[in-house]
Amino acid sequence: MSNSITVTLPDASTLQVADGESLYEIIGRISPRLQKDALAAAVDGVPVDLSCAVHNDAPLRVITFDSPEGKSIFWHSASHLMAQAVKRLYPDAKFAIGPSIESGFYYDIDMSATVSPENLARIEEMMRTIVDEDLAVRREEMKRKDAIAMFTKAGEIYKVEMLEEMGDDTVSIYRQGGFLDLCRGPHVMSTSRIRNFKLLSIAGAYWRGDEKRTMLQRIYGTAFPEKKQLEQHLKFLEEARNRDHRKLGRELDLFSFSNEVGAGLPLWHPNGAVLRYIIEKFSTDEHLKRGYKLFSIPHIAKAELYRTSGHLDFYSENMYAPIRIDGQDYYLKPMNCPSQIKIFTSSIKSYRDLPFRGFEMGTVYRYERSGVLHGLTRVRGFTQDDAHIFCSEDQIEDEIKDVLDFTLFMLKTFGFTERSIYLSTRPEGSVGSDRNWELATSALKNTLESGGIAYTVDPGEGVFYGPKIDIKIKDAIGREWQCSTIQVDFNLPERFDVQYIGSDGRKHRPIMIHRALLGSLERFIGILIEHYSGKFPVWLAPVQLILINVSDDEAGPADELRLRMLELGFRPEIDRRDESMGYRVRDAIARKIPFIGVIGKKEVAEGTISVRKLGESKSVSMKIEDLIDMIRGEVENRH
RNA sequence: GCCCACGUAGCUCAGUCGGUAGAGCAUUUGCAUGGUAAGCAAAAGGUCACCAGUUCAAUUCUGGUCGUGGGCUCCA
């Protein structure tokens, strides 16, 4: 029995252990601390439970919560813990799937009772009881057909369905106390390992994500080894709530929605509209600098246009019902490309005209199912910084490279420096020849690779007319958002028979590149609000400086300064209300205005102003000229 | 669209086990002329989302519609 076995640790050191010694014991010999932190271990690269014994020489890696693998195991175990609690409280509960997700876990459950927020507390209570019971989590392997029989008997129809689709002969189940679940594992050793958890929300979810199948109740939760980590995570969620653009949009008076105007149709208030204008102007100027030509098109077009473009065939579920005008059907444009193409084709183009870059702040209307609407990030009418580049095949890579550089410049300007890049390939139900898809996809790939840009392939996520590069940005609290998209299209030029005269005097077909850098402005601004937490940099702030007069005597001079700054192109405001200074300062801070300028007797006499920066509690007295220079500097540097 | 929850003043929220409602902040007015995070007082403000039904009586109960939130599915 006491055959000695050698395990090799990641640092290449080795450890002699007895045959049959459990991983838990082995890790205890490395360090008691590690033993305490260990959730599972990888033997020969395969993750297994700590209760497993080692019988052969093998490399050993301890899995703790610090690794993504460890988190996943921990959260998965937490989902079992929750399921066990639910089963105790609701014996008729049938379990579907309960995986770990990005920062926690969920379990999809089918049961007669509906879970309410109050019930979550009851379930948490029961989870605590089970934790205190310190139930060992045990793995058992059995024949698949035996498992089917067992779960059928238990009424676990979803588990049975999953088992029936599995190819393996043998399956594993995990048992903790009276609860058992079909699971690949591994899991933590005991329910007592999961002490810090929180159930967060309840939602509906279709069995297998199929809207034709049963709607299950999904309970989301999260858990951590340390109490402090849980608290930190809950604080993060709180922070995200405080940054919510819907909340800040109301508080900062940026935008609103009206029941009477319609769902998903944002109304921009003066503060929001000016922010939007600044972004539009900045974007338009940058496009002109890079040789783009401006386009502008109407919001509706005839059915014929969208029949030619293929939108009526491939995109109609996102389009609104036609408008009947003089016996003809017109559609609200769901995309800008078809009409923009008509601008390109309005005259004969030569190869000398290529690449032809047409840009527009183009508003589109898309039908979104009511349940998906969300603040500014998911609306039914929105404006994109949309451009279409017509170029020859051998210009594609250069153009894409330019677009990528341009995109990264734009994102950086708005404070987004971290991003990840995705290459989406041909989806089901797409149009176009294999050759063109291949050509377009490799053009995107080559550009990324020759630029040394790391990317991830998203198989089948392209648009119906071509592959695309999507860029996801990370905001100030680490959440990812998708804005930018670059799409190569051989299809529309063909459909519209777009041509140019080459240097050989013959007709050629250009390629189109569709691209939006900020994407939907509505969405982008929503993200910006959350990214900056409403504290916009000076160049974007709807109000850059608020002037506060100490007494009525200074109202005149303060207002003169306001008018002067307006004329200089700044966005000043004056608060001359009959309120105490403390009150008005407090109000200005709540409005997150970057600068507060106080003018009293002393300032008027000296030609100065007392300036307080947002976030600081001290004010600085400075010459008015210096204040203007300072603000100008921040605007020019886009700070 | 689907599941669950929700819709009371501009905002945040009480309340009515069926008898047409209240607070704080915001607003307006008056007083206070105030030196950097809420000066004092008064007034005004609501078809209790909308439409039906039940009832002597509906903001409250029932149904529908619209909208919001968390998700699913879809996507910028």
Side-chain angles (χ1 to χ4, degrees), chain A residues 376-447:
Chain A
L376 289 178
T377 61
R378 200 69 186 277
V379 294
R380 283 177 171 163
F382 58 95
T383 302
Q384 292 173 300
D385 56 339
D386 201 9
H388 295 92
I389 299 169
F390 298 84
C391 65
S392 61
E393 276 184 27
D394 53 8
Q395 289 170 332
I396 299 181
E397 288 190 26
D398 278 346
E399 286 305 305
I400 290 170
K401 192 182 167 302
D402 283 354
V403 170
L404 261 175
D405 287 346
F406 190 6
T407 309
L408 299 181
F409 163 77
M410 291 295 287
L411 296 175
K412 204 175 115 202
T413 307
F414 289 98
F416 298 108
T417 47
E418 270 191 78
R419 74 279 193 273
S420 39
I421 296 177
Y422 298 83
L423 174 65
S424 300
T425 57
R426 187 169 193 173
E428 306 260 322
S430 58
V431 296
S433 70
D434 291 350
R435 176 206 172 255
N436 286 348
W437 272 93
E438 179 47 42
L439 204 71
T441 309
S442 62
L444 291 174
K445 204 182 253 176
N446 290 343
T447 314

Side-chain angles (χ1 to χ4, degrees), chain A residues 38-59:
Chain A
L39 301 171
V43 177
D44 234 344
V46 181
V48 292
D49 297 317
L50 293 180
S51 56
C52 281
V54 181
H55 298 292
N56 298 301
D57 291 357

Side-chain angles (χ1 to χ4, degrees), chain A residues 7-236:
Chain A
V7 295
T8 312
L9 301 174
D11 66 359
S13 66
T14 58
L15 201 65
Q16 298 300 121
V17 303
D19 184 0
E21 201 171 350
S22 80
L23 287 163
Y24 184 72
E25 290 163 342
I26 295 169
I27 295 164
R29 291 213 265 120
I30 302 170
S31 126
R33 173 69 201 270
L34 191 60
Q35 188 181 39
K36 187 176 149 283
D37 289 345
L39 301 171
V43 177
D44 234 344
V46 181
V48 292
D49 297 317
L50 293 180
S51 56
C52 281
V54 181
H55 298 292
N56 298 301
D57 291 357
L60 169 68
R61 181 166 48 86
V62 179
I63 298 172
T64 67
F65 191 75
D66 295 333
S67 66
E69 204 180 8
K71 286 186 172 65
S72 164
I73 290 166
F74 192 78
W75 286 328
H76 196 172
S77 293
S79 91
H80 277 214
L81 170 64
M82 178 177 77
Q84 184 175 17
V86 169
K87 187 73 184 172
R88 281 194 187 176
L89 291 166
Y90 309 94
D92 76 337
K94 294 192 266 293
F95 297 94
I97 54 165
S100 67
I101 50 174
E102 211 186 314
S103 55
F105 59 89
Y106 67 78
Y107 218 122
D108 283 348
I109 306 163
D110 185 7
M111 59 186 196
S112 54
T114 54
V115 183
S116 68
E118 300 91 79
N119 294 342
L120 286 187
R122 282 185 64 209
I123 298 169
E124 281 181 357
E125 211 40 57
M126 185 58 83
M127 286 168 76
R128 255 172 234 119
T129 305
I130 297 168
V131 169
D132 289 341
E133 287 170 16
D134 189 14
L135 302 173
V137 179
R138 290 207 174 81
R139 179 190 178 92
E140 289 169 29
E141 296 197 351
M142 58 172 68
K143 289 269 172 257
R144 190 163 63 106
K145 62 176 192 343
D146 295 338
I148 291 175
M150 189 173 75
F151 281 109
T152 303
K153 201 171 147 213
E156 292 285 358
I157 51 174
Y158 302 99
K159 299 294 174 190
V160 173
E161 187 176 327
M162 284 186 272
L163 277 164
E164 277 169 348
E165 287 171 14
M166 282 181 187
D168 321 81
D169 232 17
T170 312
V171 298
S172 60
I173 64 156
Y174 277 80
R175 203 183 279 277
Q176 52 196 63
F179 177 79
L180 84 171
D181 199 351
L182 173 69
C183 190
R184 204 167 274 126
H187 277 284
V188 300
M189 285 185 87
S190 155
T191 57
S192 65
R193 295 299 296 265
I194 305 159
R195 294 199 170 269
N196 307 288
F197 52 80
K198 175 93 184 151
L199 301 186
L200 297 169
S201 64
I202 316 148
Y206 300 107
W207 168 230
R208 303 228 143 147
D210 183 345
E211 58 186 276
K212 287 182 199 71
R213 308 192 63 165
T214 319
M215 177 66 77
L216 307 165
Q217 298 189 65
R218 174 174 296 180
I219 305 176
Y220 284 90
T222 193
F224 292 90
E226 302 296 328
K227 193 168 179 202
K228 235 167 84 187
Q229 292 168 310
L230 175 66
E231 283 166 357
Q232 208 174 359
H233 183 72
L234 296 178
K235 226 175 100 188
F236 166 81

